[in-house]
Amino acid sequence: MIEIESFTTPSPKSAFFAELRDLLFTSFESNFTEEDWEHGLGGTHICLRKSGKLISHAAVMPRRLYIEDQVVNSAYLENVATRPDHQHQGFGSKLLQVSSDLIFNQFELGALSSSKKALYRNFGWQDWKGPSFVIHDGHWIRSASEDCGIMVLKTRADISWNSSSRIACEDRSGDAW
Ligand SMILES: CC(C)(COP(=O)(O)OP(=O)(O)OC[C@H]1O[C@@H](n2cnc3c(N)ncnc32)[C@H](O)[C@@H]1OP(=O)(O)O)[C@@H](O)C(=O)NCCC(=O)NCCS
């Protein structure tokens, strides 16, 4: 039986932490760091279980982004993964639909950074076309190597933006974007 549940990050002592770590480190293989793990804690976890086992996961993380001088209350999508032995069966897509709907209804903008952009396009995500920056000590530092991976999701919020504008996130340990 397939079940999808969503909840905010529980106590580190919960059994969920161990099963999520196993899912993420297995799915991303050597590309997953402790910093990546930290980036996906403190928001909303969307989890797909099959017969009780955690198969697929996405984290919707509240994050302040900047489009030119506009502060945008965004959701940053992190740690999207499906167990290798369950990929290409539509589980990731199911989670992306739920995650995208949540972001559409509750935030001003969705954003993510990925090399697997085709998957996200199916759910309304679009490429950011403008230059990206990371804000460090109040200064906007150009992050040109990130430009090609950034995608955004328009939401029901009544804000306007131009995807050719400058976009920035605040710096953090590990990958800023
Ligand atoms: C990216 C990832 C989360 C996708 O999860 P998934 O559960 O395989 O996703 P889906 O099955 O919904 O879709 C994957 C592909 O299978 C296809 N697919 C879906 N159902 C299918 C089916 N029944 N039969 C055949 N193909 C199918 C989809 O169209 C999609 O094709 P595309 O990649 O060409 O767009 C997964 O590959 C993964 O965990 N990768 C490693 C971690 C990673 O890179 N995460 C993304 C970080 S941004």
Short mmCIF file of all heavy atoms in Angstrom, two decimals, residues 47-83:
data_model
loop_
_atom_site.label_atom_id
_atom_site.label_comp_id
_atom_site.label_asym_id
_atom_site.label_seq_id
_atom_site.Cartn_x
_atom_site.Cartn_y
_atom_site.Cartn_z
N CYS A 47 6.82 12.51 2.62
CA CYS A 47 7.36 11.14 2.56
C CYS A 47 6.39 10.20 1.89
O CYS A 47 5.19 10.23 2.19
CB CYS A 47 7.62 10.62 3.98
SG CYS A 47 8.83 11.59 4.86
N LEU A 48 6.92 9.36 1.02
CA LEU A 48 6.09 8.31 0.41
C LEU A 48 6.55 6.97 0.98
O LEU A 48 7.75 6.66 0.96
CB LEU A 48 6.23 8.34 -1.11
CG LEU A 48 5.35 7.36 -1.89
CD1 LEU A 48 4.95 7.97 -3.24
CD2 LEU A 48 6.05 6.01 -2.11
N ARG A 49 5.61 6.23 1.51
CA ARG A 49 5.91 4.91 2.05
C ARG A 49 5.19 3.84 1.25
O ARG A 49 4.05 4.04 0.84
CB ARG A 49 5.48 4.81 3.52
CG ARG A 49 6.31 5.65 4.44
CD ARG A 49 5.87 5.53 5.90
NE ARG A 49 6.64 6.45 6.72
CZ ARG A 49 7.87 6.16 7.19
NH1 ARG A 49 8.39 4.96 6.96
NH2 ARG A 49 8.54 7.05 7.89
N LYS A 50 5.87 2.72 1.07
CA LYS A 50 5.23 1.57 0.44
C LYS A 50 5.29 0.44 1.45
O LYS A 50 6.39 0.07 1.89
CB LYS A 50 5.99 1.19 -0.84
CG LYS A 50 5.33 0.11 -1.64
CD LYS A 50 6.14 -0.15 -2.91
CE LYS A 50 5.58 -1.34 -3.65
NZ LYS A 50 6.49 -1.78 -4.70
N SER A 51 4.14 -0.06 1.79
CA SER A 51 4.04 -1.09 2.84
C SER A 51 4.85 -0.68 4.08
O SER A 51 5.57 -1.49 4.67
CB SER A 51 4.53 -2.44 2.31
OG SER A 51 3.81 -2.79 1.17
N GLY A 52 4.78 0.59 4.42
CA GLY A 52 5.41 1.10 5.63
C GLY A 52 6.85 1.54 5.45
O GLY A 52 7.40 2.25 6.29
N LYS A 53 7.49 1.15 4.34
CA LYS A 53 8.92 1.48 4.16
C LYS A 53 9.08 2.82 3.43
O LYS A 53 8.38 3.07 2.44
CB LYS A 53 9.59 0.36 3.36
CG LYS A 53 11.06 0.59 3.20
CD LYS A 53 11.75 -0.60 2.55
CE LYS A 53 13.24 -0.27 2.40
NZ LYS A 53 14.00 -1.34 1.84
N LEU A 54 10.00 3.63 3.92
CA LEU A 54 10.25 4.94 3.31
C LEU A 54 10.92 4.74 1.94
O LEU A 54 12.03 4.21 1.86
CB LEU A 54 11.14 5.79 4.22
CG LEU A 54 11.41 7.21 3.76
CD1 LEU A 54 10.12 8.03 3.66
CD2 LEU A 54 12.40 7.90 4.72
N ILE A 55 10.23 5.19 0.90
CA ILE A 55 10.70 4.98 -0.47
C ILE A 55 11.18 6.27 -1.12
O ILE A 55 12.16 6.29 -1.86
CB ILE A 55 9.54 4.40 -1.34
CG1 ILE A 55 9.08 3.05 -0.81
CG2 ILE A 55 9.92 4.31 -2.82
CD1 ILE A 55 10.14 1.97 -0.88
N SER A 56 10.45 7.36 -0.84
CA SER A 56 10.71 8.62 -1.53
C SER A 56 10.53 9.77 -0.55
O SER A 56 9.67 9.70 0.34
CB SER A 56 9.68 8.74 -2.65
OG SER A 56 10.24 9.10 -3.85
N HIS A 57 11.32 10.84 -0.74
CA HIS A 57 11.28 11.95 0.21
C HIS A 57 11.58 13.28 -0.48
O HIS A 57 12.36 13.33 -1.44
CB HIS A 57 12.34 11.73 1.31
CG HIS A 57 12.59 12.92 2.16
ND1 HIS A 57 13.58 13.86 1.89
CD2 HIS A 57 11.98 13.36 3.30
CE1 HIS A 57 13.56 14.80 2.82
NE2 HIS A 57 12.60 14.53 3.68
N ALA A 58 10.96 14.34 0.00
CA ALA A 58 11.31 15.72 -0.40
C ALA A 58 11.14 16.60 0.84
O ALA A 58 10.27 16.35 1.67
CB ALA A 58 10.39 16.21 -1.51
N ALA A 59 12.00 17.62 0.96
CA ALA A 59 11.89 18.56 2.09
C ALA A 59 11.56 19.95 1.55
O ALA A 59 12.24 20.44 0.65
CB ALA A 59 13.20 18.59 2.88
N VAL A 60 10.52 20.54 2.10
CA VAL A 60 10.11 21.91 1.73
C VAL A 60 10.62 22.83 2.84
O VAL A 60 10.14 22.79 3.97
CB VAL A 60 8.57 21.99 1.60
CG1 VAL A 60 8.14 23.43 1.35
CG2 VAL A 60 8.07 21.08 0.48
N MET A 61 11.63 23.62 2.50
CA MET A 61 12.33 24.43 3.50
C MET A 61 12.03 25.91 3.35
O MET A 61 12.36 26.49 2.30
CB MET A 61 13.84 24.22 3.35
CG MET A 61 14.29 22.78 3.43
SD MET A 61 13.92 22.06 5.03
CE MET A 61 14.83 23.16 6.10
N PRO A 62 11.43 26.55 4.34
CA PRO A 62 11.23 28.00 4.26
C PRO A 62 12.59 28.69 4.12
O PRO A 62 13.54 28.34 4.84
CB PRO A 62 10.57 28.36 5.60
CG PRO A 62 10.00 27.07 6.10
CD PRO A 62 10.92 25.99 5.60
N ARG A 63 12.68 29.61 3.19
CA ARG A 63 13.98 30.29 2.97
C ARG A 63 13.73 31.66 2.35
O ARG A 63 12.92 31.79 1.43
CB ARG A 63 14.84 29.46 2.03
CG ARG A 63 16.27 29.91 2.04
CD ARG A 63 17.17 28.99 1.24
NE ARG A 63 18.55 29.37 1.45
CZ ARG A 63 19.56 29.01 0.71
NH1 ARG A 63 19.37 28.20 -0.32
NH2 ARG A 63 20.78 29.43 0.97
N ARG A 64 14.45 32.65 2.90
CA ARG A 64 14.32 34.00 2.35
C ARG A 64 15.20 34.13 1.11
O ARG A 64 16.39 33.84 1.16
CB ARG A 64 14.78 35.00 3.41
CG ARG A 64 14.11 36.33 3.32
CD ARG A 64 14.27 37.15 4.58
NE ARG A 64 15.60 37.05 5.16
CZ ARG A 64 15.83 36.86 6.45
NH1 ARG A 64 14.85 36.76 7.30
NH2 ARG A 64 17.07 36.78 6.92
N LEU A 65 14.60 34.51 -0.01
CA LEU A 65 15.37 34.79 -1.22
C LEU A 65 15.16 36.24 -1.59
O LEU A 65 14.25 36.91 -1.07
CB LEU A 65 14.92 33.87 -2.36
CG LEU A 65 15.17 32.36 -2.17
CD1 LEU A 65 14.67 31.58 -3.38
CD2 LEU A 65 16.64 32.06 -1.92
N TYR A 66 15.99 36.72 -2.48
CA TYR A 66 15.93 38.12 -2.89
C TYR A 66 15.89 38.18 -4.41
O TYR A 66 16.72 37.54 -5.08
CB TYR A 66 17.17 38.88 -2.39
CG TYR A 66 17.31 38.83 -0.89
CD1 TYR A 66 17.85 37.70 -0.27
CD2 TYR A 66 16.89 39.87 -0.09
CE1 TYR A 66 17.96 37.62 1.12
CE2 TYR A 66 17.00 39.81 1.30
CZ TYR A 66 17.54 38.68 1.89
OH TYR A 66 17.64 38.60 3.26
N ILE A 67 14.93 38.93 -4.94
CA ILE A 67 14.89 39.19 -6.38
C ILE A 67 15.07 40.70 -6.51
O ILE A 67 14.20 41.47 -6.09
CB ILE A 67 13.56 38.73 -7.01
CG1 ILE A 67 13.40 37.21 -6.84
CG2 ILE A 67 13.53 39.12 -8.49
CD1 ILE A 67 12.08 36.65 -7.32
N GLU A 68 16.25 41.07 -7.02
CA GLU A 68 16.66 42.49 -6.96
C GLU A 68 16.51 42.95 -5.50
O GLU A 68 17.04 42.30 -4.63
CB GLU A 68 15.86 43.33 -7.96
CG GLU A 68 16.04 42.89 -9.41
CD GLU A 68 17.47 43.08 -9.95
OE1 GLU A 68 18.26 43.82 -9.35
OE2 GLU A 68 17.80 42.46 -10.98
N ASP A 69 15.75 44.02 -5.23
CA ASP A 69 15.67 44.49 -3.84
C ASP A 69 14.42 43.97 -3.12
O ASP A 69 14.09 44.42 -2.03
CB ASP A 69 15.72 46.02 -3.78
CG ASP A 69 14.61 46.65 -4.60
OD1 ASP A 69 13.81 45.90 -5.21
OD2 ASP A 69 14.54 47.89 -4.63
N GLN A 70 13.75 43.00 -3.73
CA GLN A 70 12.52 42.45 -3.14
C GLN A 70 12.84 41.20 -2.30
O GLN A 70 13.48 40.26 -2.79
CB GLN A 70 11.57 42.08 -4.29
CG GLN A 70 10.20 41.65 -3.87
CD GLN A 70 9.32 41.35 -5.10
OE1 GLN A 70 9.80 41.22 -6.22
NE2 GLN A 70 8.03 41.23 -4.88
N VAL A 71 12.40 41.18 -1.04
CA VAL A 71 12.56 39.98 -0.20
C VAL A 71 11.38 39.06 -0.48
O VAL A 71 10.23 39.50 -0.43
CB VAL A 71 12.57 40.36 1.30
CG1 VAL A 71 12.76 39.12 2.16
CG2 VAL A 71 13.66 41.38 1.58
N VAL A 72 11.68 37.81 -0.77
CA VAL A 72 10.62 36.88 -1.15
C VAL A 72 10.61 35.70 -0.18
O VAL A 72 11.61 34.99 -0.03
CB VAL A 72 10.81 36.37 -2.60
CG1 VAL A 72 9.62 35.55 -3.03
CG2 VAL A 72 11.03 37.54 -3.55
N ASN A 73 9.48 35.48 0.48
CA ASN A 73 9.34 34.36 1.42
C ASN A 73 9.13 33.08 0.61
O ASN A 73 8.02 32.80 0.17
CB ASN A 73 8.18 34.62 2.37
CG ASN A 73 8.48 35.79 3.29
OD1 ASN A 73 9.59 35.88 3.82
ND2 ASN A 73 7.54 36.69 3.43
N SER A 74 10.21 32.37 0.45
CA SER A 74 10.22 31.24 -0.49
C SER A 74 10.24 29.91 0.23
O SER A 74 10.50 29.83 1.43
CB SER A 74 11.47 31.34 -1.38
OG SER A 74 11.55 32.61 -1.96
N ALA A 75 9.98 28.87 -0.55
CA ALA A 75 10.20 27.50 -0.10
C ALA A 75 11.30 26.93 -0.97
O ALA A 75 11.21 27.01 -2.20
CB ALA A 75 8.94 26.68 -0.26
N TYR A 76 12.33 26.41 -0.35
CA TYR A 76 13.44 25.83 -1.10
C TYR A 76 13.30 24.31 -1.02
O TYR A 76 13.19 23.75 0.07
CB TYR A 76 14.76 26.30 -0.50
CG TYR A 76 15.90 26.27 -1.48
CD1 TYR A 76 15.90 27.11 -2.59
CD2 TYR A 76 16.97 25.42 -1.30
CE1 TYR A 76 16.94 27.09 -3.50
CE2 TYR A 76 18.02 25.40 -2.20
CZ TYR A 76 18.00 26.24 -3.30
OH TYR A 76 19.04 26.23 -4.20
N LEU A 77 13.24 23.67 -2.17
CA LEU A 77 13.03 22.23 -2.19
C LEU A 77 14.37 21.52 -2.07
O LEU A 77 15.29 21.76 -2.86
CB LEU A 77 12.31 21.85 -3.49
CG LEU A 77 11.65 20.48 -3.53
CD1 LEU A 77 10.60 20.31 -2.43
CD2 LEU A 77 11.00 20.25 -4.90
N GLU A 78 14.48 20.67 -1.08
CA GLU A 78 15.75 19.99 -0.79
C GLU A 78 15.56 18.48 -0.69
O GLU A 78 14.45 18.00 -0.39
CB GLU A 78 16.30 20.45 0.59
CG GLU A 78 16.63 21.91 0.70
CD GLU A 78 18.05 22.24 0.24
OE1 GLU A 78 18.71 21.37 -0.37
OE2 GLU A 78 18.49 23.36 0.49
N ASN A 79 16.66 17.78 -0.89
CA ASN A 79 16.74 16.35 -0.57
C ASN A 79 15.60 15.52 -1.17
O ASN A 79 14.95 14.73 -0.48
CB ASN A 79 16.85 16.15 0.95
CG ASN A 79 18.14 16.75 1.48
OD1 ASN A 79 19.00 17.16 0.70
ND2 ASN A 79 18.29 16.82 2.78
N VAL A 80 15.40 15.74 -2.46
CA VAL A 80 14.42 14.94 -3.22
C VAL A 80 15.10 13.63 -3.61
O VAL A 80 16.15 13.66 -4.27
CB VAL A 80 13.96 15.69 -4.48
CG1 VAL A 80 13.02 14.83 -5.31
CG2 VAL A 80 13.30 17.02 -4.11
N ALA A 81 14.56 12.52 -3.20
CA ALA A 81 15.21 11.23 -3.51
C ALA A 81 14.22 10.09 -3.45
O ALA A 81 13.25 10.12 -2.68
CB ALA A 81 16.35 10.96 -2.52
N THR A 82 14.49 9.09 -4.29
CA THR A 82 13.76 7.82 -4.27
C THR A 82 14.78 6.70 -4.15
O THR A 82 15.85 6.77 -4.78
CB THR A 82 12.96 7.63 -5.58
OG1 THR A 82 11.98 8.66 -5.68
CG2 THR A 82 12.25 6.28 -5.63
N ARG A 83 14.49 5.71 -3.37
CA ARG A 83 15.40 4.56 -3.23
C ARG A 83 15.75 4.02 -4.62
O ARG A 83 14.87 3.87 -5.46
CB ARG A 83 14.73 3.41 -2.47
CG ARG A 83 14.62 3.65 -1.04
CD ARG A 83 14.38 2.39 -0.23
NE ARG A 83 14.58 2.76 1.15
CZ ARG A 83 15.77 2.89 1.73
NH1 ARG A 83 16.86 2.60 1.07
NH2 ARG A 83 15.87 3.29 2.97
#
